[in-house]
Amino acid sequence: MSETFVLVTGAWHGGWAWRPVANELRAAGHQVHTPTLAGLGADDDPRGVTLTDCVNSLVEYVERAGLNDITLVGHSWGGYVLTGAAPRLAARIRRLVFWSAFVPQDGESLIDACPPHYGEMFHALAAASGNDTVTLPLEVWQQAFMQDAGEETQRTVHSLLVPQPLGTFTEKPDTTAFTALDIPTAYILSTADLSLPGEWAWAGRFPQRLKNPLVLEAPGSHEGCFTRPAELADAFIRACAA
């Protein structure tokens, strides 16, 4: 059966980041949409952009394209966007898929959900940026996000990342409407994901916040969309087949 996927990136990425996975899904006969959210386009002005702005841009994209019966996938910070958009798009959604993604509790910002050293780093980088944005340091990218790639690939992809508006990390979402939804969900864990360490790891916190999710694994790091796209696409397809 052909699925319609709408893939939502994590922080610092635009829709371009899904190209390797999208190619795999399209080759398997599926339709794929990869929107770039507000403030994350290469030519966007990121100043003052909030999580709500990003949620609105996803909702507007799906409605403008007239998409229905979609599998909505969110990666990392994109889980915040899914949580905000899903209640507004519920009639159009077939399944929600969270891949190494945050599932926020009510009133919990992304910085609240991260280890304290990340929050301190994000605030310091935003304060020094001149436009209240966070640029992910290369060494963090190499060591914790994309450690399963060679240095040249790490540097090439890192050079394409854009500054993330701090407001998308500090806004505290109201998850009441999301919690009330009755939409099938899946949670995919990347087996070599080092981005959240120890007690903060994805597996120990976020799948349990969903209602009876299908939990699957995929090989690769937090950036498996670049390093293991075929296996990640397969996991998305398996999530839909259940």
Side-chain angles (χ1 to χ4, degrees):
M1 177 180 174
S2 176
E3 304 288 342
T4 300
F5 289 95
V6 178
L7 308 181
V8 179
T9 63
W12 302 290
H13 299 60
W16 57 267
W18 287 116
R19 187 173 300 168
V21 175
N23 288 342
E24 296 286 344
L25 292 171
R26 289 174 180 137
H30 304 291
Q31 298 182 43
V32 187
H33 295 260
T34 59
T36 295
L37 302 179
L40 297 177
D43 298 321
D44 287 358
D45 183 351
R47 291 174 295 182
V49 174
T50 65
L51 175 61
T52 295
D53 293 327
C54 293
V55 170
N56 289 342
S57 69
L58 175 59
V59 171
E60 290 165 5
Y61 178 95
V62 171
E63 292 180 342
R64 186 169 59 249
L67 303 180
N68 289 291
D69 202 29
I70 64 175
T71 295
L72 188 58
V73 180
H75 177 220
S76 195
W77 162 80
Y80 273 81
V81 182
L82 257 64
T83 301
R88 296 167 58 185
L89 295 173
R92 300 175 181 266
I93 297 173
R94 179 172 181 264
R95 184 179 299 271
L96 294 169
V97 178
F98 292 77
W99 164 46
S100 288
F102 292 92
V103 182
Q105 294 179 322
D106 194 50
E108 179 186 58
S109 71
L110 180 132
I111 284 182
D112 295 333
C114 283
H117 71 274
Y118 272 158
E120 293 165 4
M121 177 179 68
F122 293 158
H123 279 295
L125 290 169
S129 70
N131 62 358
D132 212 28
T133 62
V134 178
T135 298
L136 185 67
L138 175 61
E139 60 271 20
V140 176
W141 174 257
Q142 291 178 309
Q143 296 169 12
F145 282 67
M146 202 178 178
Q147 80 282 354
D148 57 343
E151 183 175 359
E152 182 178 356
T153 300
Q154 291 173 334
R155 289 181 176 274
T156 297
V157 178
H158 183 267
S159 72
L160 299 173
L161 303 181
V162 298
Q164 183 79 15
L166 183 65
T168 65
F169 286 170
T170 58
E171 185 176 340
K172 297 179 181 293
D174 180 345
T175 64
T176 306
F178 176 79
T179 302
L181 292 176
D182 188 20
I183 296 174
T185 61
Y187 199 100
I188 298 172
L189 294 158
S190 287
T191 56
D193 194 330
L194 305 179
S195 58
L196 289 180
E199 64 182 295
W200 298 90
W202 307 96
R205 294 193 292 155
F206 298 116
Q208 298 87 334
R209 296 182 180 182
L210 299 172
K211 295 177 182 177
N212 301 313
L214 173 68
V215 179
L216 301 170
E217 290 187 344
S221 65
H222 192 63
E223 296 295 322
C225 51
F226 301 112
T227 63
R228 305 296 289 268
E231 294 92 333
L232 187 58
D234 178 68
F236 291 171
I237 292 168
R238 286 187 286 128
C240 294

